[in-house]
Amino acid sequence: MVQAIDNRTDLTTRLVGTEQHPRLADWDRAEVEVLAAEPVAGYADLLSRNVGHRLLLAVPRPLLADAAPGSVIRVRARLAAGEAMAERRPTPGTFAVEPAPGGA
């Protein structure tokens, strides 16, 4: 059995769109453009390679309640079972949604 690498990366992304996650209840799968990435001290960084690319990111649905396409989302994420995932209960300062320019 292969042991997972404990990893975290702080991502700055732009939301392209969302859909209900096909396997995780109360989660959405967000398509995002990765604008920037920063390693988190003490953890492996497995997501920085996605800067400049689109990424599918699993996010708890309540966290995206105020997000619309074009919104900037700052999120601490990890790679788990081949899928990028936001923290289920983000600690203060590790998740934010900024409205799209010209948005509400």
Side-chain angles (χ1 to χ4, degrees):
M1 185 168 165
V2 176
Q3 184 173 348
I5 296 171
D6 199 7
N7 68 95
R8 301 285 185 283
T9 306
D10 287 333
L11 300 176
T12 301
T13 68
R14 183 173 323 280
L15 182 62
V16 176
T18 61
E19 64 184 13
Q20 183 175 340
H21 196 285
R23 293 183 319 276
L24 301 173
D26 300 321
W27 287 66
D28 284 335
R29 185 162 53 188
E31 182 177 0
V32 298
E33 296 174 7
V34 181
L35 305 174
E38 292 291 327
V40 175
Y43 294 94
D45 173 11
L46 301 181
L47 294 173
S48 286
R49 68 178 180 260
N50 293 290
V51 172
H53 301 282
R54 288 192 176 185
L55 176 71
L56 294 176
L57 178 66
V59 182
R61 187 166 297 122
L63 296 178
L64 291 177
D66 296 329
S71 296
V72 172
I73 301 172
R74 298 180 194 283
V75 57
R76 181 162 290 169
R78 66 188 175 99
L79 190 62
E83 182 172 26
M85 299 186 72
E87 293 180 314
R88 179 184 299 269
R89 292 177 204 87
T91 54
T94 62
F95 189 92
V97 175
E98 300 168 10

